[in-house]
Amino acid sequence: MTRQLAQFVAATDQAAIPDAFYEHAKVALLDWIGVTLASREEPLVKLLLQFVDHGGGNEQSAIVGYGVKKTATQAALVNGAASHAMDFDDTMAEFWGHPSASLFASLLALGELERKNGRDLLASYLIGLKAGLVVADSVGEEMYAGGFHCTSTLGIIASGAACARLLGLDEPQTTNALGLAATQSFGLKGSFGTMCKPFHAGHAAEGAVMGALLAREGFTGADDILEGPNGLLEAFGGAVNDYAMGSLGRTWGVERLAQKYHASCHWTHSAIEAASAIKTKNGVQPQDITSIEIICSGIALATADVEQPRTGLEGKFSFPYCVANALVTGDTGLAAFTDEAVRSPEISSLIEKTTVRSHPKAENFDSRVIIETGGGERYVEDVNVMEELPALDEKRVRVREKFTGIASPILGARVAERVVEAVLNLENFDDVSQLIAVVNS
């Protein structure tokens, strides 16, 4: 499996990837830049910047939104963590996590260092994502159920493959890059709600850049690190999925990427949508509600299980808070997940009327919300956000609006629009550092 993946990564002709998938990748990149900018003032980002400042090093690659350069590995670390800090970055159900966080952080850092062009960066993203998805099909569910954060454990595999491709490594070198990535695979879900969760994405990006650069210089790794004895699949309880392997070069998966429009854990989004639909359709007012019941899958509840959040970070992993906030304020963006917001008396009152339980027949992202009022009304709504993904054209519009809303107050409306146009025309850039220059202008 390891060698087959390495062959796919090294030998795939980027011209064979249909143009529509490049367009999906550009939408994903625009979203990534937006959520990374949104995190620039987050304490964890500032702490990481302080940490890399102490380390010194060559000025190779830019920190998004700061106008400073660090080493490529340092930039990948900080940008990867920043892109996941607000938990507003994209998700893929089949990946069991957030693939773009580490993929773009590693590719932009390495692309700037190596002066790679925009088309190569987008192709590397698509090829790395596909490699990661095939591994996810073999072990992702087992990893996630076992307590591991796949944004990290699978993110470093996808990013390692993408970086190997961007560097133009041959098959043996790519095999070594995968070996270096897999042996760094880590991240525990027990860290959710803390600074360590976004750190996982940053570490995955950092490790991928380091692994690819070392592999280019001849550093070796196991050539069966995925499927071999004591390899990744055995360690995490998976098995080679031959059917998924047979899709290499035939399908790409990026169209299944789900951008976020609520700034919380994606497991909560179906419940947010269901509660919002009840309020919109029926004019339900928070003061009239006597009870809220949320029914979801076991794996969703195990992740977003905070009953009464004390911080904004905890609020992102709380079904009761996310639903109560949606019903009270209607604002599920970044402002909803601050320490002050989660302490709202009106929202806290509604949380006390909320119960959450899992159901064995609920699929991963299924949520049912049942609201009862003092007047005896009972409203029920079922939603699965992963079954209702928008088409490419709608995604582009929605992500553009999301990006503009985030970036305009930070960059100014004119620069934000320049970034949009640069990303949507990235294949015409001879050097990806030109894009970074626009973002940091």
Side-chain angles (χ1 to χ4, degrees), residues 340-357:
E340 182 181 6
V342 299
R343 298 178 187 136
S344 160
E346 188 177 5
I347 292 174
S348 295
S349 175
L350 209 53
I351 287 174
E352 292 175 1
K353 301 174 184 178
T354 303
T355 59
V356 188
R357 64 182 176 92

Side-chain angles (χ1 to χ4, degrees), residues 163-242:
C163 288
R165 171 64 187 216
L166 190 64
L167 287 180
L169 302 189
D170 61 21
E171 184 180 331
Q173 290 172 319
T174 301
T175 301
N176 288 329
L178 291 173
L180 281 156
T183 204
Q184 299 179 78
S185 187
F186 88 104
L188 298 171
K189 290 197 296 181
S191 297
F192 284 12
T194 76
M195 292 181 181
C196 282
K197 185 176 189 282
F199 171 76
H200 291 164
H203 172 78
E206 175 191 39
V209 172
M210 178 173 63
L213 290 170
L214 284 172
R216 183 172 66 177
E217 299 305 315
F219 205 101
T220 61
D223 62 3
D224 61 350
I225 194 63
L226 300 177
E227 75 283 1
N230 297 313
L232 189 86
L233 301 188
E234 184 176 295
F236 287 100
V240 176
N241 185 328
D242 291 328

Side-chain angles (χ1 to χ4, degrees), residues 107-128:
L107 286 171
L108 284 169
L110 195 58
E112 187 173 5
L113 174 67
E114 297 287 317
R115 319 297 286 187
K116 296 296 183 178
N117 66 52
R119 186 74 169 184
D120 286 346
L121 185 140
L122 293 170
S124 298
Y125 171 84
L126 292 167
I127 290 167

Side-chain angles (χ1 to χ4, degrees), residues 23-37 90 100 104 108 122 125 259 395-404 406-407 411 415-424 426 435 439:
E23 295 302 314
H24 276 285
K26 288 189 283 188
V27 170
L29 176 56
L30 182 64
D31 188 61
W32 182 90
I33 294 172
V35 297
T36 305
L37 285 169
D90 62 34
S100 293
F104 281 126
L108 284 169
L122 293 170
Y125 171 84
Q259 281 77 35
K395 272 189 179 184
R396 188 184 291 113
V397 170
R398 294 184 70 180
V399 168
R400 186 169 187 157
E401 290 175 349
K402 175 183 172 182
F403 174 83
T404 301
I406 292 171
L411 304 177
V415 174
E417 186 58 29
R418 286 179 58 208
V419 174
V420 171
E421 294 306 314
V423 171
L424 297 182
L426 186 60
L435 170 63
V439 176

Side-chain angles (χ1 to χ4, degrees), residues 64-119:
V64 172
Y66 275 91
V68 297
K69 290 190 176 185
K70 301 297 179 183
T71 68
T73 51
Q74 290 170 336
L77 169 66
V78 177
N79 288 334
S83 68
H84 194 48
M86 306 300 290
D87 227 301
F88 210 11
D89 51 316
D90 62 34
T91 304
M92 186 176 286
E94 298 91 334
F95 197 86
W96 294 90
H98 309 267
S100 293
S102 62
L103 272 164
F104 281 126
S106 59
L107 286 171
L108 284 169
L110 195 58
E112 187 173 5
L113 174 67
E114 297 287 317
R115 319 297 286 187
K116 296 296 183 178
N117 66 52
R119 186 74 169 184

Side-chain angles (χ1 to χ4, degrees), residues 10-25:
T12 295
D13 181 359
Q14 68 180 45
I17 304 174
D19 289 342
F21 297 120
Y22 284 97
E23 295 302 314
H24 276 285

